[in-house]
Amino acid sequence: MTAVSEAATSSALRTREATVRRFAFTDMAFRTATRLSAILVLVLLGGVAISLVAGSWEALSKFGFSFLTTESWNPVTENFGALAPIYGTIVTSAIAILIAVPIGIGIAVFLTELCPRPLRRPIGIAVELLAGIPSIIYGIWGLFVFAPFLQTTVQPFIIYIFHGIPGLSSLFAGPPYGIGLLTSSLILAIMVLPFITSITKDVFDTVPAVLKESAYGIGCTTWEVTRRVTIPYTRVGIMGGVMLGLGRALGETMAVTFVIGNAHRISASLFAPGTTISATIANEFTEADGDLYTSSLVSLGLILFIITFIILALARYMLLRIDSRTGA
C-alpha cells in the first residue's frame, strides 16, 4: 500500500508541475503578445511620423517657418503656404465641436433620463445609424440639398440680421454662396454628433443608480442631477467622446471637400469659401507633378498629424488638472 500511495503521490506531483508549467508558459506568451502589440503601435506611430518628416523635408527646408505663415498656394510658381488650410481646419472643427457637443450631451441626457422606455431603443439606433453613413453621402447631400437651402434661406436672413453690427457683420458678410466654412462646419457637426452622443449615453449608463436616486431623494431636479452627479462622474468618458469627434472632424476629407469651396484664402466671413488640410491633400495630390509640390502636400499631412497630437495632449492635460482639483 505504501508503494502504491507513493506512486500516486508522485504522479499527482508530476501532473501538478506540468499544469503549473503550462500555465506559466501561457501567461508568459500572453504577456509577450500584449507587450509586442503595444510596441507595434509605437513602431507604427513612429514610422508614420518619420515618413511624414522625410516626405516633407524638401518643402520645409526651402520655405522654413514661413510655410506656416504664408497664405499663398501657387503650384505654377511653386510658392506654397499652409496658413489657409490650417485656418480652415481649425475653424471648421472648432465650430463643429461647439455645435455637436451640447446637442450630443442633450440627446444623451434625454435618452437616459427623460425618454419613454419604448422610444429609447429606436431613437438610439437612429442616432447610431448616422455614424454608418459614408462621408461622401454627407458631401453629396450637403452640396445638392443643404447648401442650396442655406444659400436661399438661412444665409440671407443671417446677413440681414447682423448687418451693421460691429464684429458680427464681418463674421457673416459677403454674398450667400451656400458653400463655405459655415456649411462645412455644420456638415461636420452632423457627422460627429452620433459619435459624441453614443459614447456619452454609454458612459451615462455607467453612473450607479444609487447616486442618482439619492440626489432625487433630496429633491434635486433632473437638471441638477445631470449637472451635479452624472456629468462629474462621467467627465472622462465625455471628454473621450469629444476627442473622438474632434479627431473625426479634423481628418474628415470627402464631405468637407464637397461643400467648403476649396479656396486657398483666409476670410473673416464664415460664408466665404475656404479649404482644409485634408481637402487640399485630396484635391491636389494626384495632380502634384513636382517634388516640391508633393513635399508641400506631405508637409500638410505632417502639420495635421502634429495638430491632432497637440490637441490630444492638451485634452489629457485638462483631465489630469480636473482630477487633481477634485482629488480623484
Side-chain angles (χ1 to χ4, degrees), residues 54-111:
S56 61
W57 186 255
E58 181 177 352
L60 296 180
S61 61
K62 178 176 180 179
F63 300 114
F65 186 76
S66 64
F67 185 75
L68 300 176
T69 59
T70 302
E71 181 181 348
S72 174
W73 186 274
N74 192 336
V76 178
T77 61
E78 292 191 332
N79 184 25
F80 301 104
L83 186 59
I86 293 174
Y87 172 80
T89 300
I90 295 176
V91 169
T92 55
S93 299
I95 295 175
I97 291 299
L98 288 176
I99 295 173
V101 168
I103 296 177
I105 294 177
I107 295 174
V109 171
F110 175 75
L111 291 176

Side-chain angles (χ1 to χ4, degrees), residues 143-191:
L143 180 63
F144 293 106
V145 178
F146 194 54
F149 170 75
L150 293 178
Q151 182 182 20
T152 57
T153 57
V154 177
Q155 290 184 354
F157 176 74
I158 294 177
I159 293 173
Y160 173 77
I161 289 296
F162 294 110
H163 178 70
I165 300 178
L168 294 177
S169 60
S170 60
L171 191 62
F172 300 103
Y177 292 110
I179 59 175
L181 294 173
L182 182 62
T183 304
S184 60
S185 300
L186 295 174
I187 294 293
L188 285 177
I190 296 173
M191 294 182 68

Side-chain angles (χ1 to χ4, degrees), residues 1 18 35 47 79 82 109 131 152 176 194 199 204 225 267 269 280 292 317:
M1 293 294 293
R35 184 180 293 110
N79 184 25
V109 171
T152 57
I199 294 177
F204 280 179
V225 171
S267 175
S269 175
T280 300
L292 184 60
Y317 175 74

Side-chain angles (χ1 to χ4, degrees), residues 199-325:
I199 294 177
T200 304
K201 176 184 175 299
D202 289 340
V203 297
F204 280 179
D205 288 335
T206 64
V207 178
V210 64
L211 294 180
K212 295 191 289 187
E213 291 171 358
S214 300
Y216 284 123
I218 62 175
C220 292
T221 62
T222 302
W223 161 248
E224 291 172 331
V225 171
T226 302
R227 181 185 176 189
R228 302 293 185 181
V229 178
T230 304
I231 292 180
Y233 188 88
T234 60
R235 60 182 179 272
V236 175
I238 295 174
M239 183 65 72
V242 173
M243 289 301 104
L244 179 63
L246 181 58
R248 174 71 187 272
L250 286 171
E252 178 53 43
T253 304
M254 293 309 301
V256 174
T257 303
F258 272 89
V259 297
I260 198 170
N262 302 304
H264 284 273
R265 64 172 181 266
I266 296 176
S267 175
S269 175
L270 296 178
F271 293 159
T275 188
T276 63
I277 293 176
S278 56
T280 300
I281 296 174
N283 278 325
E284 303 187 23
F285 203 85
T286 57
E287 301 176 358
D289 54 359
D291 293 337
L292 184 60
Y293 194 178
T294 303
S295 180
S296 299
L297 292 174
V298 177
S299 299
L300 291 180
L302 176 62
I303 293 171
L304 182 60
F305 181 85
I306 295 174
I307 290 174
T308 305
F309 180 82
I310 292 174
I311 290 176
L312 293 178
L314 290 176
R316 186 61 183 172
Y317 175 74
M318 289 170 56
L319 289 176
L320 292 176
R321 289 290 302 273
I322 293 173
D323 289 339
S324 64
R325 287 202 305 266

